[in-house]
């Protein structure tokens, strides 16, 4: 079965950096678009960044210039490099896989990981 496993979350001070990883198995990774989403308590899940199978990336305005999404098809892994972190970036971060490129709606993704907590202290 398809599995997406996130790692790399944790507690970091404002201004710091973290790199999230999402290892995929059970699917032909190279033909799937990937997305990173986040959900803070009491808020809806929002798209942070997406990357197509060819590597074309798209970002939410709130993270543009601070976050970078990338993928390694040989390792079936997608990454989210987060820099200049702010307290408002605190959330559970999820990776997702879908067949439509650079979509921001959660419903456009077929598979989801279990999430990893990112907490940014002020």
């Amino acid at each position: 079965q398809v599995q997406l496993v996130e790692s790399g979350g944790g507690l970091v001070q404002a201004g710091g950096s973290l790199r999230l990883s999402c290892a995929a198995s059970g699917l032909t990774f190279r033909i799937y678009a990937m997305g990173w989403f986040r959900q803070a308590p009491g808020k809806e899940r929002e798209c942070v960044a997406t990357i197509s199978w060819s590597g074309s990336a798209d970002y939410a305005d709130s993270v543009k210039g601070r976050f970078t999404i990338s993928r390694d098809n040989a390792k079936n892994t997608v990454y989210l490099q987060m820099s200049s972190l702010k307290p408002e970036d605190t959330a559970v971060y999820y990776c997702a896989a879908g067949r439509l490129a650079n979509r921001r709606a959660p419903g456009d993704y077929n598979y989801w990981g279990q999430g990893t907590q990112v907490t940014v202290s002020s």
Side-chain angles (χ1 to χ4, degrees):
Q1 72 276 22
V2 176
Q3 280 193 312
L4 301 178
V5 180
E6 301 99 335
S7 61
L11 173 64
V12 64
Q13 288 189 332
S17 299
L18 281 175
R19 188 175 84 153
L20 305 183
S21 299
C22 172
S25 61
L27 76 170
T28 306
F29 181 77
R30 59 181 171 80
I31 67 171
Y32 275 81
M34 301 297 295
W36 281 100
F37 290 75
R38 66 186 181 189
Q39 188 166 20
K43 294 189 176 181
E44 292 188 353
R45 190 168 298 191
E46 65 169 343
C47 182
V48 173
T50 67
I51 188 166
S52 72
W53 44 84
S54 65
S56 174
D58 185 45
Y59 299 93
D61 287 343
S62 59
V63 306
K64 203 170 289 184
R66 300 189 298 122
F67 290 12
T68 302
I69 188 171
S70 61
R71 64 190 296 161
D72 185 337
N73 289 341
K75 295 183 178 180
N76 287 3
T77 301
V78 62
Y79 304 97
L80 185 68
Q81 178 67 49
M82 306 185 293
S83 303
S84 301
L85 283 161
K86 305 175 181 180
E88 50 264 44
D89 294 318
T90 295
V92 178
Y93 283 71
Y94 299 89
C95 71
R99 294 292 288 119
L100 301 174
N102 300 120
R103 297 299 179 98
R104 296 191 179 188
D108 286 331
Y109 290 81
N110 306 102
Y111 305 106
W112 291 83
Q114 82 289 348
T116 186
Q117 176 71 46
V118 172
T119 303
V120 184
S121 63
S122 57

